Amino acid sequence: MSTTETSTDYETITVSPLNGACGAEVAGVDLTGEVAPQTVAEIIKALDVHSVVRFRGQELSPPAQERFAARFGELAVYPFAEPTAESQHVFPIIKTAEQTENFGGAWHSDSAYLDTPPSYTMLYGVKTPEVGGHTLFTSQRLVTADMTSGFLDELTGMRVVYRAGNVPRYDRVDRDGMHHQSNPEVAERDVDHPLVRVHPNTGERFLFLSRLHTRRFKGMTEEESRPLLDQLFSMQIRAEYASWMDWEDGQLTIWDNRIVLHYALNNYQNELRHMHRTTVLGEVPLAG
Ligand code: SIN
């Protein structure tokens, strides 16, 4: 598959770009019903091209969200929060009207500290703020494309070490609308992945790291790793590579968690934001 599209790629859906960097709106499909295999294949094609897609006007209960997500692969269980009562693969992300901190307010790729980080994240807006509460994205395709081949070759072959390392932060069960749980075995475990990955669908090479979870280069200390890591962290979030997603109730947004970073923007207060998240297990990252 390629990262370009033609008018004949989509027969069952329509795909309209939302932004120059990444993001598109998909229309013409009811995700609560039986979604045909061809439609799933076309949605994956849209994700290969646009990295982030949204579907508006959906009514997804947790079991319906789980059923739809399972069409994309095996589902993951998030290790640091309790799932909904109805589905172990859907967990709520809630910021109450009284709360000031949010969840996911830093550049990251979901659960990159796992051996098989998620391929796709599916986030559904149950109750979204009137104004604000956007999710920002940066396209690692664009970051990588702007690098010289010399610099990319220097980075190829390096591995980066991930650690969730968030036991203190998440050891605060029930302080807000979410049921956080510490999970020291997962949180304190180091996992390394190639810094330059190959996308299994498109064959493209892209940078894979993020400030929230990447600690150091394999074989180096954190101090030794810091200068180059800081340089890469700054490069991968330049405004030119970014887009933002607006939310409304009943919207499902899917992103290719391998090739975009995201950031939950805490640009609203005194309002409830209630989302449901499901992740699809990806592959062991392929080295570029
Ligand atoms: C996340 O980091 O997965 C949450 C994103 C969001 O709430 O917008």
Side-chain angles (χ1 to χ4, degrees), residues 91 93 102-106 108-110 121 123 133-137 212 247 255 257 262-265 268 273 275 277 279:
F91 86 91
I93 294 178
N102 75 337
F103 174 92
H108 66 288
S109 165
D110 286 327
T121 295
L123 191 65
H134 303 97
T135 309
L136 303 180
F137 295 93
L212 188 62
W247 285 100
W255 60 87
N257 187 56
H262 62 282
Y263 187 120
L265 204 53
Y268 62 102
R273 183 175 186 269
M275 316 296 278
R277 194 179 92 175
T279 49

Side-chain angles (χ1 to χ4, degrees), residues 35-46:
V35 181
Q38 182 180 348
T39 304
V40 173
E42 290 182 12
I43 294 169
I44 291 173
K45 171 68 190 179

Side-chain angles (χ1 to χ4, degrees), residues 209 211 217 225-235:
L209 79 163
R211 193 182 281 281
F217 294 105
S225 306
R226 186 57 43 208
L228 180 54
L229 279 185
D230 279 344
Q231 182 187 349
L232 295 172
F233 291 152
S234 306
M235 288 172 79

Side-chain angles (χ1 to χ4, degrees), residues 72-83:
F72 291 74
E74 193 183 334
L75 301 183
V77 172
Y78 182 61
F80 301 116
E82 266 182 34

